[in-house]
Amino acid sequence: MTSKNRPAAVVALARGNTAEQAAREAGVSGRTIRRWMEEPDFGRQVTATRTELLQLAVGQLAAASTKAVATLVDALDNEKGQARVQAARVLLDAVLALRESLDLEQRLAALEAAGGDAR
């Protein structure tokens, strides 16, 4: 019975629920969740599911980002004073954050490549 509940517990934990919340969602005891959490394979499943959920969220954000940027650019031209300044700030903050993210991604890829060469 409880092994059928593991996928529900994995998803609940991947979404950031506590062990007790995950137990309620999966229909098992908190003790069962804590026991499962001690299993390396279960932990890997939670991590993999969390990664998948994050990738879906990033995809949704990416899909909406074009519209958001178009709205901000439009506000730069069509809004007055403070709204234009706010739109410009948001755009600049987004550019800086994206640049930092891309820079870190490139650095990580270089480190991973260098680590692979050392083996």
Side-chain angles (χ1 to χ4, degrees), residues 48-111:
T49 301
R50 182 174 294 128
T51 299
E52 187 176 332
L53 290 173
L54 287 171
Q55 287 172 339
L56 290 170
V58 167
Q60 290 175 337
L61 287 172
S65 66
T66 303
K67 185 175 179 180
V69 170
T71 300
L72 289 170
V73 170
D74 187 54
L76 287 173
D77 294 331
N78 297 323
E79 297 297 327
K80 296 188 179 175
Q82 189 60 33
R84 290 179 64 194
V85 170
Q86 184 62 28
R89 283 184 179 159
V90 169
L91 279 170
L92 290 173
D93 287 345
V95 168
L96 291 174
L98 182 58
R99 178 65 195 144
E100 288 175 4
S101 178
L102 291 173
D103 189 39
L104 287 174
E105 187 175 317
Q106 289 172 344
R107 287 180 179 185
L108 180 59
L111 286 172

Side-chain angles (χ1 to χ4, degrees), residues 27-59:
V28 297
S29 70
R31 184 172 175 242
T32 297
I33 296 291
R34 286 186 292 280
R35 189 181 71 237
W36 287 345
M37 289 170 64
E38 292 175 5
E39 299 173 14
D41 187 52
F42 185 80
R44 283 189 290 274
Q45 290 174 355
V46 171
T47 300
T49 301
R50 182 174 294 128
T51 299
E52 187 176 332
L53 290 173
L54 287 171
Q55 287 172 339
L56 290 170
V58 167

